[in-house]
Amino acid sequence: MELPVVVGVDGSEDSLAALDWAVDEAARHGTALRIVHASLWGGYEGTESAAGATRFADPLPVEKILGAAEERARKRAPRLVVSTEALPDDPAAALVREGRNAFLLVTGSRGRGAIGGLLLGSVGLAVAARADCPVVVVRGAGQPPAGSGGVVLGAGDETDGTTAARFALREAEARGTGLTAVRAWRRPHEPMRHPLLTGSPGQAEEERAAWVLEEVLREPRREHPGVEVTHQLTEGPARKALLDASRGAGLLVVGARRREGHLGLQLGIVNHAVLHHAACPVAVVPERR
């Protein structure tokens, strides 16, 4: 049985953008769509009042949230198999549990109760860090113009980046777009160089980055030979390279490793940066060693 795309909704504009993205994703891959609402969602994140005090968002009726979401999904994709369920739990725990039997988890970047200064709600961050399946946090407009918005891969190391690469290539193939694989490199600090040394100070680092890209993509490309892949080597911080690449992209894909003795994923500063600031939806893919 094909696993469904699962999306969490709470009635907010951000969750509706996530719902639309999830509908399109399920239709692209021929999977069912499962819409869930955690009954404790309404008071999970505070919202700032005009006076600066934190209060909690007024909850919407569960039946209204799920009913409106289902109707919206069926209008967008009439042939899609859609199911809904209210879950008696807090949203992060409910979505992480749903991810054990999901093709993909989708969530908005902020919910109804997100505090005004937050760039990513606590639910999206917690789910991205703990889920067993790929998680997409729908940022930016969520829906790039027709015919635009390719897939961008933030290429990890050659030893643990192939799962994210496979996911990115699969998504590019389903969309009929190309894939841009990005790898950042840093020029080593060399205040003085011997006059007999040749080549630029960063040549070895740039060549290493190019080799890593080749290794990460070698096997996955064989599974998706029809996808046009562009290698992009960028000197500078990885987070800046990926944020720049997210502008105009339809999806940014990054990998995340599990730490030894740790239940969650090791998101790291780069993944935190793109989850908070990317101009397009971000997919966090758990890497398996």
Side-chain angles (χ1 to χ4, degrees):
M1 180 177 173
E2 196 75 36
L3 295 176
V5 171
V6 176
V7 59
V9 297
D10 66 351
S12 67
E13 288 298 319
D14 275 37
S15 80
L16 293 180
L19 173 64
D20 290 346
W21 197 96
V23 169
D24 293 347
E25 179 75 356
R28 267 192 295 266
H29 291 282
T31 67
L33 176 70
R34 178 169 162 79
I35 305 170
V36 299
H37 172 75
S39 60
L40 302 183
W41 208 311
Y44 193 73
E45 292 171 331
T47 184
E48 261 183 7
S49 67
T54 298
R55 61 183 179 81
F56 291 101
D58 295 329
L60 294 174
V62 174
E63 297 81 4
K64 182 177 180 180
I65 291 173
L66 289 176
E70 182 177 5
E71 181 180 2
R72 185 182 180 105
R74 294 190 185 282
K75 284 182 178 179
R76 191 173 183 91
R79 297 183 179 180
L80 194 63
V81 176
V82 180
S83 63
T84 66
E85 186 171 357
L87 304 172
D89 205 343
D90 76 74
L95 288 174
V96 168
R97 189 170 57 251
E98 287 289 313
R100 296 170 189 162
N101 293 290
F103 175 77
L104 184 71
L105 275 177
V106 184
T107 182
S109 58
R110 290 191 294 176
R112 293 183 63 241
I115 296 173
L118 292 179
L119 296 172
L120 175 65
S122 57
V123 173
L125 189 61
V127 174
R130 292 165 50 195
D132 291 325
C133 71
V135 174
V136 172
V137 176
V138 178
R139 296 194 50 80
Q143 308 297 326
S148 67
V151 177
V152 173
L153 169 67
D157 292 332
E158 69 280 7
T159 57
D160 60 7
T162 57
T163 306
R166 284 189 171 90
F167 178 92
L169 282 160
R170 184 193 70 190
E171 290 299 313
E173 185 175 68
R175 288 167 169 74
T177 67
L179 172 69
T180 300
V182 179
R183 178 76 182 183
W185 61 278
R186 303 296 290 269
R187 190 178 300 272
H189 178 62
E190 292 186 2
M192 295 183 63
R193 285 175 53 79
H194 193 280
L196 297 180
L197 291 178
T198 61
S200 65
Q203 182 176 348
E205 293 300 322
E206 186 174 11
E207 291 175 351
R208 163 73 180 171
W211 179 83
V212 168
L213 272 184
E214 290 286 349
E215 289 300 304
V216 166
L217 291 165
R218 187 185 306 279
E219 289 298 325
R221 285 188 73 173
R222 292 174 183 169
E223 300 167 12
H224 303 276
V227 177
E228 181 179 347
V229 179
T230 301
H231 291 194
Q232 180 177 312
L233 301 175
T234 303
E235 181 182 0
R239 57 185 179 274
K240 182 180 185 303
L242 294 180
L243 291 175
D244 288 345
S246 74
R247 300 189 185 102
L251 180 66
L252 171 61
V253 180
V254 293
R257 298 191 303 268
R258 290 201 180 278
R259 286 183 256 182
E260 295 242 352
H262 195 275
L263 293 177
L265 297 171
Q266 187 173 356
L267 290 180
I269 60 172
V270 174
N271 286 357
H272 272 276
V274 298
L275 284 167
H276 283 85
H277 300 287
C280 70
V282 177
V284 177
V285 181
E287 293 286 356
R288 310 287 187 211
R289 287 199 179 187

